[in-house]
Amino acid sequence: MRETAKSTSLDLQYIDAETAPPLGGGIKRAFDIAGAAAGVLVLSPLFLLIALLVKASDGGSVLYGHRRVGRGGSVFHCLKFRTMVSDGDAVLAAHFRDNPDAKSEWEATRKLKDDPRVTRVGTVLRKLSLDELPQIINILLGDMSIVGPRPVVRDELEYYGKAAVFYLKSRPGLTGLWQVSGRNDVSYDSRVAFDRHYVENWSLVQDIRIILKTVPAVCLSRGSY
């Protein structure tokens, strides 16, 4: 059973999102299933290679499931190839104690350009967004969509304010408008605006355009770290 992440300040947004039909309805879901199934078949050799590299890097687990907020406020484990050391929380806390500027960067964007937790293999995987490939499984399970707002943790949803309702109406995406529009090189407010625009103007044609733009964005590693 999936959990639901709710807070008093966002109750109305959750209620609206829970009662609204999923963005794109059956057409978007059928597209997701077909695309994800094809992705598993085509990319299975790459999955195996990455899994071996991650395992060989330090002997730790291959996959990592991080709790993220999905449609309607449900909480799911967003899968990734592990890119961080096993004691990442302790490493990050020590880094913040020694680098106050890094803590400010984290509080503003929830990202670090120079993250001390990331392994050498993880750095390459993140640069090419290959660490996110296991989210194809999340798509098949119905937790995510091929295209949509990138999944966020509970604390990040507070940054959306009233725009949280738009995020909650859509399944989080493996790629999205923010992903192909600069990613970490744009402000968080811009990210929220991209997500709102995507939901308000959704079409299958727009999804296909974003997928096509994802390929060069990933190859050029725009805003990726």
Side-chain angles (χ1 to χ4, degrees):
M1 182 179 295
R2 290 187 176 85
E3 305 168 51
T4 300
K6 291 190 177 183
S7 71
T8 303
S9 63
L10 293 175
D11 275 350
L12 181 59
Q13 284 92 332
Y14 280 114
I15 292 171
D16 289 345
E18 287 174 348
T19 56
L23 184 72
I27 294 176
K28 184 172 175 64
R29 182 63 186 142
F31 182 79
D32 286 341
I33 293 172
V40 169
L41 291 174
V42 173
L43 298 173
S44 55
L46 181 58
F47 269 69
L48 179 58
L49 175 60
I50 294 174
L52 292 173
L53 289 173
V54 173
K55 190 67 177 179
S57 65
D58 60 7
S61 60
V62 171
L63 295 178
Y64 174 72
H66 199 277
R67 289 160 54 89
R68 299 295 172 110
V69 180
R71 193 185 79 83
S74 61
V75 177
F76 69 99
H77 284 88
C78 183
L79 299 175
K80 290 187 176 185
F81 284 117
R82 184 175 58 85
T83 60
M84 295 185 179
V85 295
S86 57
D87 57 343
D89 290 342
V91 171
L92 186 62
H95 184 65
F96 286 160
R97 285 196 299 270
D98 298 335
N99 300 273
D101 290 343
K103 186 174 182 180
S104 298
E105 179 187 354
W106 175 262
E107 290 174 346
T109 65
R110 306 297 295 188
K111 297 280 187 179
L112 292 176
K113 286 188 176 180
D114 296 308
D115 196 323
R117 300 170 295 172
V118 181
T119 65
R120 290 183 180 180
V121 172
T123 299
V124 177
L125 295 180
R126 286 184 165 210
K127 197 70 175 176
L128 298 175
S129 297
L130 294 175
D131 59 315
E132 296 167 357
L133 286 180
Q135 289 162 30
I136 292 176
I137 298 172
N138 287 122
I139 296 172
L140 291 173
L141 292 173
D143 297 324
M144 294 179 61
S145 178
I146 295 176
V147 182
R150 285 296 293 156
V152 300
V153 298
R154 182 63 188 84
D155 291 345
E156 280 184 277
L157 199 57
E158 296 286 351
Y159 298 167
Y160 280 70
K162 293 182 179 180
V165 66
F166 296 100
Y167 173 91
L168 294 167
K169 285 181 178 179
S170 175
R171 291 184 177 91
L174 176 61
T175 186
L177 190 56
W178 169 71
Q179 193 94 344
V180 300
S181 302
R183 202 173 175 179
N184 295 313
D185 288 339
V186 301
S187 68
Y188 209 98
D189 286 344
S190 295
R191 173 178 178 170
V192 172
F194 283 135
D195 289 347
R196 177 170 183 165
H197 177 84
Y198 171 77
V199 173
E200 288 185 311
N201 299 278
W202 179 83
S203 71
L204 188 58
V205 172
Q206 179 184 212
D207 275 6
I208 294 172
R209 286 174 178 167
I210 291 173
I211 291 170
L212 294 176
K213 289 181 179 180
T214 298
V215 177
V218 168
C219 291
L220 295 173
S221 302
R222 292 200 297 264
S224 179
Y225 52 84

